[in-house]
Amino acid sequence: MSIKELLKNIGGRTNGDIYLGVVGPVRTGKSTFIKRFMELVVINNIQDEYQKARATDELPQSGQGKTIMTTEPKFVPNTAVSVDVGENLSVQVRLVDCVGYVFKEAKGYMDEDKIRMVKTPWFEEAIPFDEAAKIGTQKVISDHCSIGIVVTSDGSIVDISRNSYLEAEEAVIKQLQSIGKPFIVLVNSKDPTGATAKQVSLEIQEKYQVMAIPMSIEQMTQDDANQILKEALYEFPVLDVDVVFPSWVAALDENYWLKQSYKASIQQGLNEVKKVRDVDKIAEVLRQNEYAKSVEITNIDTATGLITLCIEPKDGLYEAIINDIVGTTLEDKADLIKILQEYKNYKDQLADVLPAILMAKETGYGASTPALNDIQVSEPELVKNGSRYGIKINAKAPTYHIFKIDVENNFEPILGSKEQSETMIEYLTKNDTSLEDVTMFGRNIKELLKDGINAKLLTIPDNNRQKLLNILKSMTNKGKNNLIAIVF
Amino acid sequence: MFEENQSNFNQDYQYSNNDYHYVDVGPQMAEDGILVDEQGYEDIGFSIVAFILGGLGLYFGQSFFAILIQSVVGMIIRKTGKAPHAENLSNFSALVGTIICLVIFFIIIHKKLKPLLKEFANGKTWAKALAYVGIMYGAIFLYSWIITVLGANQATSANQDSINLMMEFTPILAGIYVCIVAPIFEEITFRLCIFRGIAKKNKIAALIVVASIFGLIHMLASLTTGTFKTDLITLPIYLIGGFGLTTAYFREKRIGVSICAHFIYNTISFIMNLIAAMIIF
């Protein structure tokens, strides 16, 4: 990705404001980083000459040795500059320089043998220099940056040992992690390809689970700047995961076991992934799914935090799913054709009635609407209305009225004494298995009850069935009962 | 007989301070030749307590006898090895229970019964009853039209459903019950007894209370079928009936008018239902 693309993507995650908060222990090269980064990334991309000159003038000073050069937080440039990133888009860029966390070996914060007292905007009285540095850094981290750049060192840049930085480095990183701000760590080294720099970076990565890049900030190149921005992009959270299935999987019902299984794996993966950098973990969890043949990350949209994954189901799963859906094992294509024809037949028969059944399940009553083909239309007739004439066309169509009737049935075996019956109740209710699964007299209780219910269904006499039909027919065609014929 | 009553009437005048004062007239002879109380209603010799107890006794006695007959007859039929049809048995028991209550009531008031029966032979009674039926139907048509315009569902009540069921299973019993027995029973219970009991104290209160009770009692069945909410649309119909029939008695002071109005109304409605049922079946 080019620098403009990177800036554009970061701008997409930060609403167009790229505020880099450069924090870390003192004497690690923070100001040097800001100076180099501004020269390589920002100033080169500013179109307006005046803005370019102002940004150059506002670059911070940097120096060698143990003496602290930055004595207060500073915005560089003072007001954010607009950088054109193409497609008529621009981002506002600004870096914030901090004093950093003070440690013993650093110089410039002591007055003889006492800590310097400094006046700050946050307190009316003067406070110790190290305290002011700490508060300033915290302000930058929490209030003034969209991305954190923690600058530390392997101990090779000035005459300060690696151990001196550890405490301050940990405090800054922990603080950034506690507020959930995306950040990366730069390990400033005179020899970034050397074993020490690499070892320090690795230790930081393992200890804090964050990207640490060994780099000579003094010698920072355009590629290094690109890498910093790219790694920073990967520190942003994953906002959405788009999973692409084969179309036949996508067509399955949401509650179907295969989809449920994939969903569970995706959810498990998402629980483990917080940053875009960890997206491989989602893929890894999905690969563990017993029904997944392969899982590929097909797209990472760093500008929106959208990850696209493609799942390929295991071989033979398609056939197994078809068998599962039709409820029988299909031996060959002929079996499939037979099933499909049967299905078509059922569909033709039940398509009109199904909505009525669903409605009856919900409300207790449902009526089907006739299909257009079922409507029989009579020949037009001439009708006289007073002195005028008109025509009458009669239509007739079958409709189905579905009622939900709860049929009750009891199972009351006579066992003998009260104690025997109580023992039986205890056995039935305290049994681990469901009451419905219990067998009595060689038959399942649920089956016995079902037989009774079935028998009741046949008890409505034929003439009453006919009456019910007639009532419905009359009410549907001639309207509802009216209030006029009510008897007192 | 007229002379006897006339002499009783004269004895009820008393003299006080040399002036004529109407103190307690007791039963008087009305223009139509019926002995009436001081309010002008038929005299059946009941006090307030007797009226109220009589009304309640008729209402609850009917249920008591119906259940008793249903149990006894059901038991007898089962002894013969035959299973009684629940609907037939229930309708029969209700009818007989009502008739028993009426017979008991008529025995109690047997001395005052003859003038009451005379009301039915009077053409004016029927003419007035017909007028009240016309008013009631007019009000019901108007209500039905409003409901239709508003597009509300016109459902029947559970009470009407039970009558329809009775018509379906035992149409002759239903006819006797709905057209003859129920009008006599309900008019005697609500109008002749309960209304008169309350009217002794306050006639307007009696009109409102009895008409409302009559309307609401017809909704009781809807509470047992769980259709009370949807059946509420029929409550105004029953209230129209309640107010129409109670007003008939309140104004005309003759139970014959309200019984005839009830009889005419129920007979017309019954025939309409019968025609509708014939169309359906």
Side-chain angles (χ1 to χ4, degrees):
Chain A
M1 266 193 278
S2 71
I3 195 79
K4 284 196 173 180
E5 274 179 294
L6 286 165
L7 288 172
K8 190 172 89 181
N9 286 358
I10 294 176
R13 304 302 299 268
T14 58
N15 294 325
D17 297 327
I18 304 174
Y19 296 163
L20 297 177
V22 184
V23 292
V26 293
R27 305 314 303 148
T28 50
K30 293 188 292 299
S31 300
T32 312
F33 169 79
I34 288 173
K35 195 165 167 252
R36 290 294 297 146
F37 189 86
M38 283 292 291
E39 285 164 357
L40 292 166
V41 178
V42 184
I43 295 172
N44 280 350
N45 288 296
I46 297 175
Q47 307 297 321
D48 186 286
E49 285 304 319
Y50 169 74
Q51 275 202 2
K52 198 180 239 184
R54 183 174 61 84
T56 309
D57 291 344
E58 286 172 0
L59 288 177
Q61 290 179 353
S62 60
Q64 300 292 317
K66 292 183 180 181
T67 307
I68 297 166
M69 296 296 290
T70 309
T71 53
E72 58 187 4
K74 189 183 175 192
F75 293 97
V76 182
N78 203 18
T79 49
V81 291
S82 177
V83 176
D84 182 18
V85 290
E87 296 174 20
N88 292 327
L89 290 172
S90 63
V91 290
Q92 303 294 315
V93 183
R94 182 162 79 167
L95 285 87
V96 196
D97 196 4
C98 297
V99 178
Y101 279 53
V102 176
F103 52 84
K104 264 186 190 172
E105 283 82 350
K107 285 183 179 170
Y109 74 102
M110 300 284 281
D111 247 347
E112 295 177 351
D113 57 345
K114 280 184 180 173
I115 293 179
R116 274 170 62 192
M117 299 298 282
V118 289
K119 280 281 218 178
T120 64
W122 312 298
F123 299 100
E124 284 185 6
E125 316 86 49
I127 59 168
F129 183 92
D130 59 342
E131 192 62 29
K134 210 171 184 177
I135 293 168
T137 305
Q138 283 169 356
K139 291 268 179 200
V140 168
I141 289 170
S142 55
D143 302 339
H144 301 298
C145 72
S146 47
I147 306 169
I149 306 286
V150 178
V151 181
T152 186
S153 171
D154 64 350
S156 64
I157 52 162
V158 286
D159 193 17
I160 295 172
S161 69
R162 163 71 188 150
N163 286 341
S164 303
Y165 298 112
L166 291 178
E167 197 182 330
E169 177 186 291
E170 184 171 352
V172 174
I173 291 175
K174 289 265 171 75
Q175 196 173 6
L176 279 161
Q177 283 177 330
S178 70
I179 58 172
K181 214 148 244 186
F183 71 99
I184 58 162
V185 179
L186 297 183
V187 178
N188 194 3
S189 173
K190 278 188 175 168
D191 181 15
T193 54
T196 312
K198 282 183 178 172
Q199 181 60 31
V200 168
S201 301
L202 206 63
E203 281 171 10
I204 292 171
Q205 280 187 39
E206 282 175 2
K207 188 175 178 185
Y208 302 112
Q209 297 296 306
V210 64
M211 174 50 72
I213 308 165
M215 184 177 289
S216 169
I217 290 175
E218 187 73 42
Q219 309 293 321
M220 189 166 77
T221 62
Q222 183 69 57
D223 287 344
D224 291 335
N226 281 19
Q227 193 194 355
I228 290 167
L229 289 175
K230 191 177 165 193
E231 296 298 344
L233 254 179
Y234 280 82
E235 290 300 316
F236 279 93
V238 173
L239 293 184
D240 204 358
V241 177
D242 201 354
V243 183
V244 180
F245 297 113
S247 56
W248 64 268
V249 176
L252 289 171
D253 191 85
E254 286 303 311
N255 295 321
Y256 197 74
W257 56 265
L258 182 64
K259 261 197 176 173
Q260 288 292 320
S261 171
Y262 286 149
K263 272 187 182 175
S265 294
I266 292 164
Q267 193 55 51
Q268 192 190 340
L270 280 173
N271 290 342
E272 292 184 16
V273 171
K274 296 284 176 279
K275 296 184 278 190
V276 175
R277 184 183 308 286
D278 304 329
V279 73
D280 272 340
K281 285 184 189 169
I282 302 184
E284 201 47 51
V285 171
L286 275 167
R287 283 186 195 109
Q288 308 293 323
N289 187 293
E290 58 182 314
Y291 304 113
K293 183 183 172 189
S294 67
V295 178
E296 298 298 331
I297 301 166
T298 53
N299 185 39
I300 300 172
D301 189 345
T302 48
T304 58
L306 173 71
I307 309 299
T308 308
L309 295 167
C310 186
I311 301 177
E312 189 185 342
K314 274 196 171 156
D315 294 337
L317 205 52
Y318 176 69
E319 290 77 11
I321 296 283
I322 288 182
N323 286 347
D324 185 42
I325 289 172
V326 299
T328 182
T329 307
L330 301 176
E331 298 295 340
D332 50 23
K333 288 177 181 173
D335 283 349
L336 180 62
I337 294 288
K338 275 183 204 163
I339 288 282
L340 288 175
Q341 279 175 338
E342 263 180 48
Y343 163 74
K344 186 184 179 300
N345 203 11
Y346 284 130
K347 196 185 165 197
D348 289 347
Q349 297 284 334
L350 294 173
D352 303 332
V353 188
L354 193 61
I357 295 172
L358 295 176
M359 198 173 149
K361 277 188 173 179
E362 196 74 26
T363 63
Y365 170 76
S368 72
T369 49
L372 211 56
N373 291 340
D374 291 337
I375 299 173
Q376 295 171 19
V377 182
S378 69
E379 290 292 322
E381 289 173 36
L382 193 68
V383 287
K384 190 181 178 190
N385 188 355
S387 59
R388 302 168 71 189
Y389 284 89
I391 60 161
K392 179 175 151 188
I393 300 170
N394 185 262
K396 196 164 79 175
T399 60
Y400 299 91
H401 297 254
I402 312 286
F403 291 89
K404 186 171 83 177
I405 312 287
D406 290 329
V407 182
E408 291 174 10
N409 185 34
N410 297 322
F411 176 60
E412 298 175 40
I414 303 297
L415 300 169
S417 67
K418 187 185 174 192
E419 286 74 24
Q420 282 175 312
S421 299
E422 282 172 349
T423 311
M424 178 55 83
I425 287 175
E426 198 175 331
Y427 165 72
L428 291 173
T429 51
K430 291 192 177 167
N431 205 332
D432 286 341
T433 54
S434 161
L435 182 64
E436 295 167 353
D437 298 329
V438 176
T439 303
M440 279 187 87
F441 311 126
R443 291 197 65 194
N444 178 282
I445 284 187
K446 202 172 178 180
E447 277 179 20
L448 286 167
L449 288 165
K450 193 187 166 196
D451 285 351
I453 289 171
N454 289 348
K456 273 192 174 179
L457 290 176
L458 303 170
T459 56
I460 303 173
D462 283 345
N463 59 334
N464 285 353
R465 289 181 197 191
Q466 191 57 45
K467 280 178 186 174
L468 276 171
L469 269 175
N470 291 342
I471 288 170
L472 272 177
K473 201 173 165 183
S474 169
M475 285 181 74
T476 312
N477 287 309
K478 295 189 170 65
K480 297 158 192 160
N481 264 349
N482 61 54
L483 298 166
I484 295 161
I486 282 181
V487 173
F488 299 145
Chain B
M1 182 155 180
F2 175 74
E3 283 165 3
E4 263 180 41
N5 287 336
Q6 193 64 44
S7 70
N8 287 340
F9 177 71
N10 292 335
Q11 281 170 16
D12 288 329
Y13 284 92
Q14 292 179 358
Y15 294 95
S16 172
N17 297 333
N18 299 322
D19 289 324
Y20 284 110
H21 287 282
Y22 185 75
V23 180
D24 180 9
V25 295
Q28 305 169 65
M29 187 64 68
E31 282 178 3
D32 56 359
I34 290 172
L35 203 61
V36 296
D37 67 3
E38 71 281 3
Q39 290 181 313
Y41 294 101
E42 305 99 331
D43 173 51
I44 58 168
F46 274 19
S47 64
I48 294 177
V49 177
F51 273 128
I52 300 292
L53 284 179
L56 295 176
L58 279 167
Y59 187 76
F60 293 107
Q62 186 256 1
S63 305
F64 169 75
F65 282 116
I67 294 165
L68 186 71
I69 294 161
Q70 195 167 347
S71 311
V72 173
V73 176
M75 205 168 63
I76 294 166
I77 296 174
R78 278 189 206 96
K79 288 255 175 180
T80 62
K82 290 176 183 173
H85 194 294
E87 200 61 40
N88 291 342
L89 182 59
S90 153
N91 296 342
F92 173 78
S93 308
L95 179 67
V96 176
T98 311
I99 292 170
I100 289 174
C101 282
L102 282 174
V103 169
I104 293 171
F105 183 80
F106 291 147
I107 291 169
I108 291 169
I109 62 156
H110 69 282
K111 285 182 181 169
K112 311 278 184 178
L113 191 59
K114 213 172 174 184
L116 294 182
L117 294 174
K118 267 170 65 180
E119 290 179 24
F120 297 98
N122 190 340
K124 280 184 182 173
T125 301
W126 290 94
K128 286 174 182 171
L130 209 56
Y132 283 101
V133 170
I135 293 166
M136 283 195 291
Y137 265 121
I140 290 167
F141 270 115
L142 182 67
Y143 174 67
S144 187
W145 177 77
I146 292 167
I147 290 296
T148 308
V149 169
L150 293 176
N153 276 340
Q154 297 192 21
T156 53
S157 64
N159 185 70
Q160 182 63 33
D161 287 340
S162 70
I163 291 167
N164 289 348
L165 208 63
M166 197 176 181
M167 279 170 59
E168 188 188 319
F169 281 91
T170 52
I172 296 170
L173 276 186
I176 296 169
Y177 189 79
V178 168
C179 302
I180 301 167
V181 179
I184 298 171
F185 175 78
E186 287 179 3
E187 291 315 305
I188 287 176
T189 305
F190 291 102
R191 255 63 70 175
L192 189 67
C193 291
I194 298 174
F195 173 82
R196 288 279 296 280
I198 304 169
K200 290 260 185 200
K201 290 286 178 192
N202 187 324
K203 286 209 279 186
I204 300 296
L207 168 70
I208 294 165
V209 169
V210 171
S212 306
I213 289 174
F214 182 81
L216 291 168
I217 261 172
H218 285 87
M219 299 298 293
L220 282 182
S222 302
L223 289 173
T224 57
T225 55
T227 54
F228 186 77
K229 252 184 171 177
T230 52
D231 291 2
L232 269 179
I233 201 150
T234 61
L235 178 62
I237 305 275
Y238 291 119
L239 288 175
I240 289 169
F243 275 95
L245 295 169
T246 314
T247 307
Y249 188 54
F250 171 76
R251 284 173 60 88
E252 306 306 330
K253 301 181 181 352
R254 295 293 176 269
I255 197 67
V257 176
S258 64
I259 289 176
C260 288
H262 203 148
F263 162 77
I264 296 167
Y265 179 89
N266 271 13
T267 306
I268 294 170
S269 292
F270 184 81
I271 291 168
M272 282 201 275
N273 279 305
L274 208 62
I275 293 167
M278 281 165 73
I279 292 167
I280 293 172
F281 301 114

